[in-house]
Amino acid sequence: MKQRIRKAVFPVAGLGTRILPATKAIPKEMLPCLDKPLIQHAVDEARAAGIEQFIFVTSKGKTVLEDHFDINQDLNKTLEAKSKHKALQLVKDSELPAGSLFFTRQAVPLGLGHAVWCARHLVGNEPFAVLLPDDIVLSETPCLKQMTDVYGELGGNIVSVMEVPRSQTNKYGILDVGKESQGGVVEIKGLIEKPEPEKAPSCLSIIGRYILQPEIFTHLNTQSAGSGGEIQLTDSMAKLIGTQPFHGFRFKGTRYDCGDRIGFITANLAFALRDEKIAEEVRANVKELLEI
């Protein structure tokens, strides 16, 4: 019987150097995409998939992430006293229940694999999800919910994947692809972290959504450095192939890299154009800007 995915890990220890100086004093995860910070988009996606425990792997200067999901009694009382009921509901929607939010530190930035390893004791011996808040997915059904539905059928390990230009394979974890079935499920024969275009086995890339079995920690425990001298999650995932089911999933939706200036701006526009309250005005303003 497959264990339900109850826990999710959010690696949020990065410095956000690609969008300095905006992230000099504010964690990049708190930058807004439309009216919610990136981290709340990720947490809301996890909640929609049935996640009950939220594990943040943080670093110095990230305590505002904890505050954001806490109950702000003063703010709530002020909004209630002023009868700002809609604003109060938005604030309450951002709160997480007591005992559901956990924090652990990644004191030294040694890579994504190391960040996930830092959460090993909080994850325990059960399957779990990993969500990278930099990657935001605009879709009708939240990306992780799509993945948990596939996991309910297949079990094992599942990563969300998308096609990237061959010239950019050295920025991603790339799949060596086997058979593909209906529904966008792809057999994974191998994984390579950031291969040069001429050495890439495909152009199918992992994005920041994973469902992993706890055996991944056995391989992460070796603390072996890979591409860029960092402990890569992709390297440890590759070692599970052949011992456990491992699939890529072509999710339905559009992924935006909000750790990048262009991706961040584009994501805000895409979410704004989907908001019925402001879409028409935003479209008109963009049109006017393009005509200048």
Side-chain angles (χ1 to χ4, degrees):
M1 182 178 178
K2 304 178 189 71
Q3 277 187 275
R4 189 167 63 86
I5 309 298
R6 301 186 311 117
K7 299 180 180 181
V9 175
F10 301 82
V12 290
L15 296 175
T17 55
R18 288 187 292 165
I19 42 179
L20 283 168
T23 53
K24 179 181 177 182
I26 300 172
K28 62 179 177 178
E29 297 82 14
M30 288 301 297
L31 295 178
C33 180
L34 203 52
D35 53 0
K36 293 193 293 188
L38 296 175
I39 186 62
Q40 189 177 334
H41 282 280
V43 166
D44 287 349
E45 181 182 327
R47 284 199 278 198
I51 297 298
E52 299 170 357
Q53 295 183 24
F54 307 82
I55 302 167
F56 285 20
V57 181
T58 69
S59 58
K60 184 178 180 181
K62 300 276 187 168
T63 54
V64 68
L65 296 173
E66 184 173 357
D67 293 339
H68 178 74
F69 293 102
D70 201 355
I71 297 173
N72 187 329
Q73 296 283 13
D74 292 337
L75 176 60
N76 289 359
K77 288 178 182 178
T78 298
L79 293 173
E80 189 169 3
K82 294 183 177 181
S83 298
K84 294 188 174 183
H85 302 301
K86 289 183 179 180
L88 178 60
Q89 188 58 53
L90 289 172
V91 170
K92 288 188 173 183
D93 288 344
S94 71
E95 298 168 358
L96 285 173
S100 66
L101 186 57
F102 303 87
F103 289 82
T104 186
R105 283 288 186 104
Q106 184 188 26
V108 182
L110 297 178
L112 177 57
H114 182 259
V116 172
W117 175 82
C118 289
R120 65 198 183 284
H121 296 306
L122 292 169
V123 170
N125 190 34
E126 59 182 281
F128 63 104
V130 178
L131 296 92
L132 307 187
D134 282 7
D135 277 358
I136 190 167
V137 179
L138 182 59
S139 58
E140 291 299 322
T141 301
C143 184
L144 188 62
K145 178 62 169 67
Q146 296 179 47
M147 293 175 69
T148 54
D149 288 345
V150 173
Y151 173 81
E153 299 176 10
L154 301 176
N157 305 273
I158 299 172
V159 292
S160 271
V161 298
M162 60 178 278
E163 297 282 348
V164 298
R166 180 161 288 276
S167 61
Q168 296 181 18
T169 57
N170 55 6
K171 298 179 180 179
Y172 301 96
I174 299 295
L175 276 59
D176 185 359
V177 180
K179 295 179 180 179
E180 182 166 353
S181 62
Q182 290 184 344
V185 177
V186 182
E187 178 189 10
I188 298 178
K189 298 195 301 182
L191 294 167
I192 303 175
E193 180 65 21
K194 299 178 181 176
E196 292 301 322
E198 64 273 12
K199 295 182 180 179
S202 76
C203 293
L204 203 56
S205 159
I206 302 171
I207 71 156
R209 299 294 185 273
Y210 312 74
I211 291 175
L212 301 171
Q213 297 298 315
E215 286 77 13
I216 191 76
F217 294 117
T218 301
H219 302 293
L220 289 173
N221 281 338
T222 64
Q223 302 284 285
S224 299
S227 175
E230 296 185 334
I231 298 168
Q232 299 291 350
L233 183 61
T234 303
D235 295 340
S236 290
M237 290 193 300
K239 294 174 182 176
L240 293 177
I241 297 171
T243 65
Q244 296 178 341
F246 216 124
H247 296 91
F249 171 63
R250 295 181 187 266
F251 63 97
K252 294 180 177 65
T254 305
R255 170 258 189 183
Y256 300 95
D257 177 6
C258 289
D260 171 81
R261 289 197 304 167
I262 297 298
F264 178 70
I265 293 167
T266 306
N268 271 277
L269 281 172
F271 275 77
L273 291 171
R274 199 179 72 160
D275 188 324
E276 294 179 356
K277 295 179 180 179
I278 62 173
E280 185 175 345
E281 188 172 352
V282 170
R283 189 174 288 106
N285 287 344
V286 171
K287 183 179 179 180
E288 182 179 343
L289 286 171
L290 292 173
E291 290 174 350
I292 295 176

